[in-house]
Amino acid sequence: MKQAIDYFDQWVAFRQRYLRIPGVQVAVQSGDDLLLSAAYGDADSASRTALTTEHLFRVASHSKTFTATAIVQLAETGALRLDDAASVWVDYLADTTLADVTIRELLAHQSGIIRDGREGDFWQLGRPFLDETQLRDTLLDSSAAVLTPNERFKYSNITYSLLGVIVAAASGMPYSQYVTERIVNRLGLVNTGPELDQKRLGEYATGHSSLAYADHRIPIEHVDTRAMSAATGFYSTASDLVKYFAGHFLGNQVLLPDRWKRQMQQPISDVIGGDSYGLGMNVRTVGDRQLVGHGGGYPGHITASIADAEAAVAVTVLTNAIDGPADQLAVAAFKLIDLAGTDVSDDRAPRFTGRYASLWGVLDIVALGDKLYAISPSAPDPTELLTELEIVDEKSLRVTKSPGTSSFGETWVFDFATDGTVRSFAGGSGMTQVPLATVQLPDRFEVGVPNTFSGPAIGSENSSTLS
């Protein structure tokens, strides 16, 4: 797994720069071991403050997994039943269309309740998030029941806000106190909490707007989610979140017995796009793995966590841009782990590996498992359209598998410096490629004029290490 995680680290660093994401924070945990905790880019694009692994992110709908965990803990102790009607715990729902909706239906987004109410501009800072009175008014409104229960999957932040009310009623303590004492503190998550912490404002990564409607990103102020905290209020770091999801690994008894975790992770609702939803958990299949977790979308932060509860591996990716590809990056980690298999490779492989550039883009040569691959880090899925390479001799590789119109069967010949680092190689279509670290671009590419990519041998002693 080490080869895959090492490359994942380097690949995410490239993707952050290539996609112009202000900052990305990642973590990978296997069992009890934190394999990777890293940060790339800026916590704030205006001040160019470097992002660290300690910067806090608003992780939004990750909150639903904490709320679901709290509910299931209360069910496990007998404080409530998953098939209790919501009105058993929330008196004001009696004699409404929501009176008979069960806690289980709420957890699985099968209640049919409206997503965010009729006035959802709190999502773009046009108004504050709902307070307790406004949440109650939304639930009592005749339009709250959009669908009949179990008609279909109907994602709802109002639903999970209601579950926060139920946690408080069944536990006899405020929602924030319960999840802090029974989940956050139990796992030792020092950088996690259920709502914006005003005392730690300087520790949060700045959120940024999208490039879809402007040529630059605009900072977004952090706001309190008030009565919607149980749906979307949490803050955390990547390393804390993989530790939290390790608490949902099968065999880990800190939060819940396995029989209850399996209920949470069992697919219940079909979600458009091929995924499923359990009790507070997204469920998906990637390769041969069933993965559980959740994403989060908060104004300025897009985040994702994915875990293989059977294999005890968790990945978290946090971005501080409203269009950050957190889920895409997290899924790629598992694809690379599966591609690599065991960490066994030819001793000669490292001399060829590195990040290289030509006029057409950047190419990584990577040793994963017992194979060498040429991977385009510009592609959103590093395992798609792979080129496989075999070592011919000390100076050349042969393309043994490649997509479509590429140079199958051809040999790539390398030019090495005296210290063994790569100066250049003749790759696909016979084009010269050079270590990315050595690239010095001209003001203009002109026919017949030597340049970084097609001129005479550079003779650089710089390393081709991925960067």
Side-chain angles (χ1 to χ4, degrees):
M1 187 181 292
K2 183 179 184 302
Q3 289 178 327
I5 300 308
D6 286 348
Y7 180 62
F8 177 67
D9 181 13
Q10 297 155 355
W11 180 78
V12 174
F14 178 91
R15 297 293 292 169
Q16 177 270 322
R17 180 186 62 81
Y18 178 73
L19 295 174
R20 304 300 187 260
I21 307 164
V24 181
Q25 193 185 85
V26 304
V28 180
Q29 181 151 329
S30 177
D32 295 327
D33 298 325
L34 183 63
L35 302 184
L36 173 66
S37 178
Y40 324 86
D42 297 327
D44 182 274
S45 60
S47 66
R48 299 305 303 271
T49 302
L51 183 69
T52 73
T53 57
E54 299 300 308
H55 273 103
L56 307 178
F57 283 73
R58 302 305 294 279
V59 297
S61 288
H62 281 79
S63 308
K64 295 178 175 68
T65 70
F66 286 86
T67 301
T69 300
I71 288 284
V72 174
Q73 284 179 336
L74 291 166
E76 194 265 334
T77 62
L80 56 71
R81 296 170 57 253
L82 297 184
D83 293 318
D84 283 345
S87 57
V88 169
W89 297 102
V90 185
D91 292 344
Y92 61 73
L93 292 180
D95 302 322
T96 71
T97 54
L98 303 180
D100 295 329
V101 171
T102 69
I103 293 174
R104 190 187 303 275
E105 289 165 341
L106 295 172
L107 287 170
H109 290 297
Q110 289 285 348
S111 67
I113 293 176
I114 195 168
R115 190 187 196 279
D116 290 290
R118 295 298 180 188
E119 298 178 353
D121 277 343
F122 43 80
W123 283 116
Q124 45 190 356
L125 280 66
R127 54 176 295 177
F129 277 76
L130 303 185
D131 62 18
E132 291 181 8
T133 299
Q134 291 167 327
L135 174 61
R136 174 177 176 149
D137 290 344
T138 299
L139 289 164
L140 291 177
D141 191 285
S142 60
S143 64
V146 178
L147 303 174
T148 58
N150 300 307
E151 185 175 334
R152 54 156 285 166
F153 177 80
K154 175 80 175 71
Y155 192 81
S156 172
N157 287 306
I158 299 299
T159 287
Y160 267 78
S161 302
L162 172 58
L163 284 166
V165 177
I166 293 173
V167 169
S171 68
M173 64 180 75
Y175 169 82
S176 60
Q177 180 183 347
Y178 181 90
V179 294
T180 299
E181 290 183 3
R182 305 299 171 85
I183 301 174
V184 174
N185 292 349
R186 190 176 289 183
L187 291 171
L189 307 179
V190 297
N191 289 317
T192 301
E195 186 51 272
L196 181 67
D197 187 340
Q198 296 290 340
K199 296 178 181 178
R200 302 183 70 177
L201 273 178
E203 301 175 53
Y204 287 83
T206 300
H208 297 83
S209 65
S210 174
L211 294 177
Y213 38 73
D215 60 2
H216 66 283
R217 297 187 187 275
I218 302 168
I220 301 174
E221 182 182 4
H222 289 285
V223 295
D224 196 307
T225 60
R226 307 209 292 178
M228 300 183 72
S229 170
T232 193
F234 266 76
Y235 69 85
S236 193
T237 61
S239 57
D240 259 17
L241 282 175
V242 291
K243 188 176 182 180
Y244 163 68
F245 277 97
H248 288 276
F249 292 164
L250 298 180
N252 186 319
Q253 305 295 314
V254 176
L255 294 178
L256 288 163
D258 283 356
R259 63 183 289 262
W260 290 95
K261 292 199 291 285
R262 289 186 187 279
Q263 284 197 57
M264 294 182 69
Q265 298 168 18
Q266 184 71 26
I268 295 173
S269 305
D270 291 331
V271 181
I272 292 174
D275 290 354
S276 301
Y277 204 87
L279 301 180
M281 293 278 189
N282 285 325
V283 186
R284 70 174 73 184
T285 300
V286 174
D288 294 329
R289 297 178 185 266
Q290 178 174 291
L291 303 177
V292 298
H294 221 290
Y298 174 85
H301 287 180
I302 299 295
T303 57
S305 295
I306 307 174
D308 184 332
E310 293 277 359
V313 179
V315 177
T316 291
V317 177
L318 311 179
T319 71
N320 61 342
I322 206 165
D323 53 2
D327 185 73
Q328 181 187 91
L329 297 175
V331 170
F334 280 98
K335 291 187 174 182
L336 287 168
I337 290 169
D338 288 344
L339 181 67
T342 56
D343 293 343
V344 178
S345 61
D346 192 311
D347 291 341
R348 297 172 296 173
R351 70 186 274 105
F352 298 102
T353 60
R355 177 161 285 158
Y356 303 96
S358 72
L359 179 62
W360 291 81
V362 174
L363 185 74
D364 292 340
I365 297 181
V366 186
L368 294 173
D370 60 355
K371 291 184 173 63
L372 272 175
Y373 297 96
I375 295 174
S376 170
S378 303
D381 180 352
T383 66
E384 190 175 27
L385 303 177
L386 285 172
T387 294
E388 290 188 19
L389 304 162
E390 68 175 9
I391 298 173
V392 176
D393 53 38
E394 294 298 319
K395 291 188 176 182
S396 58
L397 304 174
R398 182 174 180 271
V399 178
T400 57
K401 182 179 178 181
S402 62
T405 58
S406 56
S407 303
F408 176 78
E410 298 182 16
T411 300
W412 296 359
V413 179
F414 286 68
D415 175 29
F416 291 92
T418 55
D419 65 357
T421 59
V422 176
R423 288 199 292 234
S424 66
F425 72 91
S429 298
M431 286 189 296
T432 300
Q433 306 219 24
V434 299
L436 181 60
T438 70
V439 172
Q440 297 178 353
L441 297 175
D443 294 331
R444 176 185 175 89
F445 286 99
E446 298 181 73
V447 176
V449 177
N451 60 66
T452 296
F453 302 128
S454 60
I458 293 174
S460 167
E461 301 299 312
N462 291 337
S463 170
S464 59
T465 299
L466 300 178
S467 61

